[in-house]
Amino acid sequence: MIRSIVVLCLLSSTSYGADLALYPVEEHLITETNRQRALHGLPPYVMDVACQEHARNHSYRQARMQSMHHSGFRGGENVSMNSSSNSAACIGQWLRSPGHRAAFLSRRYTMFGVSAWRSRSGATYCTQTFR
């Protein structure tokens, strides 16, 4: 049985339009991503329904399979796995990796989605998708 960081917070989601409700863990990842972008003089990413759905589904699949891998999303994609239940660790991993950092701080992309799921072993799987 997969435990999800997202499922733990179902009752306090925020709506970003009719088709997009975000959970606290996702809101945290969005806020931290855009805070880091601001520190580097970059505009914030805008949430995109298709990117968000893909990020959620891919993080869930990785957690279920307990295997980190890229999905081949059209656009940009960052994935991360860590043994912490703290999703902020994903942000740090992406910023320390040159390739992931490039997508994270890219001017090429303007829209994104981000999510995190925890596997039954307690590992956190995070996905950012960009277009």
Side-chain angles (χ1 to χ4, degrees), residues 19 43 72 121 129:
D19 298 328
S121 69
T129 53

Side-chain angles (χ1 to χ4, degrees), residues 37 43-47 106-112 130-131:
R37 289 180 60 78
Y45 281 127
V46 175
M47 290 304 302
S106 176
R107 288 189 182 272
R108 177 180 174 197
Y109 306 116
T110 58
M111 296 182 282
F112 88 135
F130 311 97
R131 64 184 193 111

Side-chain angles (χ1 to χ4, degrees), residues 3-19:
R3 295 178 293 158
S4 165
I5 295 170
V6 174
V7 171
L8 295 175
C9 304
L10 281 176
L11 297 177
S12 57
S13 64
T14 299
S15 179
Y16 285 77
D19 298 328

Side-chain angles (χ1 to χ4, degrees), residues 95-115:
L95 289 173
R96 287 188 299 274
S97 164
H100 293 93
R101 181 183 179 88
F104 193 102
L105 299 176
S106 176
R107 288 189 182 272
R108 177 180 174 197
Y109 306 116
T110 58
M111 296 182 282
F112 88 135
V114 62
S115 192

Side-chain angles (χ1 to χ4, degrees), residues 28-126:
H28 172 76
L29 289 167
I30 291 163
T31 299
E32 186 58 23
T33 296
N34 283 329
R35 187 180 76 77
Q36 290 293 327
R37 289 180 60 78
L39 289 173
H40 290 88
L42 298 168
Y45 281 127
V46 175
M47 290 304 302
D48 177 76
V49 173
C51 287
Q52 185 60 30
E53 288 176 353
H54 185 84
R56 236 181 235 168
N57 291 334
H58 189 59
S59 290
Y60 171 77
R61 281 190 303 274
Q62 290 179 102
R64 182 174 45 92
M65 295 172 19
Q66 297 189 68
S67 173
M68 186 182 73
H69 57 281
H70 286 276
S71 69
F73 180 76
R74 286 185 153 179
E77 180 183 66
N78 283 340
V79 296
S80 173
M81 186 278 294
N82 65 74
S83 59
S84 168
S85 63
N86 181 355
S87 60
C90 295
I91 300 288
Q93 287 175 312
W94 289 327
L95 289 173
R96 287 188 299 274
S97 164
H100 293 93
R101 181 183 179 88
F104 193 102
L105 299 176
S106 176
R107 288 189 182 272
R108 177 180 174 197
Y109 306 116
T110 58
M111 296 182 282
F112 88 135
V114 62
S115 192
W117 285 77
R118 192 179 319 152
S119 72
R120 65 180 172 265
S121 69
T124 302
Y125 292 82
C126 300

